[in-house]
């Protein structure tokens, strides 16, 4: 599904038991409950692209 590129639109997504917050129209996300911010190489415009950006990060945090 296409992400709405409007001010104050965001997605919270859980991957591998870790929750992430992404503000639409940006190139970063953070893990909820953490101050870590993760920068993407490109701005995701669909749910699938966002998940693909976050998948390797979520995997690396599985046992952290």
């Amino acid at each position: 599904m296409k992400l709405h590129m409007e001010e104050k639109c965001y997605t919270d997504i859980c991957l591998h038991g870790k929750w992430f917050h992404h503000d639409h129209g940006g190139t970063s996300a953070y893990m909820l409950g953490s101050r870590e911010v993760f920068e993407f190489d490109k701005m995701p415009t669909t749910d699938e692209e966002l998940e693909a950006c976050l998948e390797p990060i979520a995997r690396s945090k599985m046992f952290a």
Side-chain angles (χ1 to χ4, degrees):
M1 180 187 303
K2 196 166 188 122
L3 299 175
H4 294 284
M5 296 300 167
E6 298 175 17
E7 189 176 332
K8 297 186 181 181
C9 284
Y10 65 90
T11 298
D12 289 338
I13 183 172
C14 184
L15 295 169
H16 302 291
K18 303 293 183 181
W19 280 94
F20 296 89
H21 176 93
H22 167 70
D23 290 317
H24 297 184
T27 59
S28 65
Y30 65 88
M31 192 165 54
L32 297 177
S34 170
R35 294 180 185 250
E36 284 186 272
V37 175
F38 306 99
E39 288 292 328
F40 306 142
D41 292 334
K42 65 176 188 163
M43 181 178 61
T45 58
T46 65
D47 291 332
E48 293 80 13
E49 288 178 359
L50 176 59
E51 190 171 330
C53 288
L54 288 170
E55 177 69 24
I57 298 165
R59 281 188 181 277
S60 73
K61 300 294 181 183
M62 283 176 64
F63 303 105

